[in-house]
Amino acid sequence: MTPRMRLCTITLDCADPSALAAFYQQATGLEPHPKSGDDFAWLDRGDGFFIGFQRVDDYRAPRWPDQTVPQQVHLDFAVDDLDEAEARLLELGAGKPEHQPNEARWRVLTDPAGHPFCLVRE
């Protein structure tokens, strides 16, 4: 019998957990976990699911689409308006890689630690 598993946390490696948590808090509206600290920070969705941010010494940001440093993780966020969401996230500190495989359907951005993520039209 296969054991039941429930995804409870997605954790991103980074150099500065507090800064990356602050970016995703502003982007998603999730609340910081009270036990967040300098080496590990969480954002709480309120239903037992968390996004974690873990300090890694000598962290190297992914190089998307180049795989010399692989992307490590990939998140997709559904949005109503691609242009509006992209503009807001760029203001918050996201980056936009030159390579965009299908800008009409989704946008590839990078968080301040270099992790690529996508905005997908809902």
Side-chain angles (χ1 to χ4, degrees):
M1 180 175 183
T2 304
R4 183 180 162 277
M5 294 174 49
R6 178 181 61 85
L7 181 63
C8 60
T9 306
I10 295 173
T11 300
L12 305 175
D13 290 349
C14 60
D16 186 343
S18 297
L20 195 54
F23 169 79
Y24 279 104
Q25 178 189 6
Q26 292 176 21
T28 65
L30 297 176
E31 291 297 320
H33 190 280
K35 293 185 179 179
S36 292
D38 291 337
D39 290 325
F40 197 95
W42 292 274
L43 293 179
D44 186 348
R45 193 168 72 181
D47 64 356
F49 180 78
F50 303 89
I51 298 177
F53 308 93
Q54 173 177 273
R55 180 181 307 283
V56 171
D57 292 333
D58 301 320
Y59 172 76
R60 292 177 49 209
R63 306 267 315 173
W64 188 87
D66 178 11
Q67 292 296 304
T68 55
V69 180
Q71 61 184 326
Q72 304 161 10
V73 70
H74 179 97
L75 304 174
D76 289 343
F77 295 94
V79 298
D80 294 327
D81 185 307
L82 287 171
D83 294 329
E84 182 180 306
E86 176 185 317
R88 179 168 182 271
L89 290 163
L90 291 173
E91 287 176 7
L92 293 175
K96 184 176 180 183
E98 186 175 315
H99 178 68
Q100 294 291 319
N102 189 344
E103 257 187 307
R105 293 190 58 210
W106 68 84
R107 307 286 165 79
V108 179
L109 300 179
T110 55
D111 68 24
H115 301 107
F117 65 93
C118 289
L119 302 177
V120 181
R121 185 182 324 274
E122 193 162 34

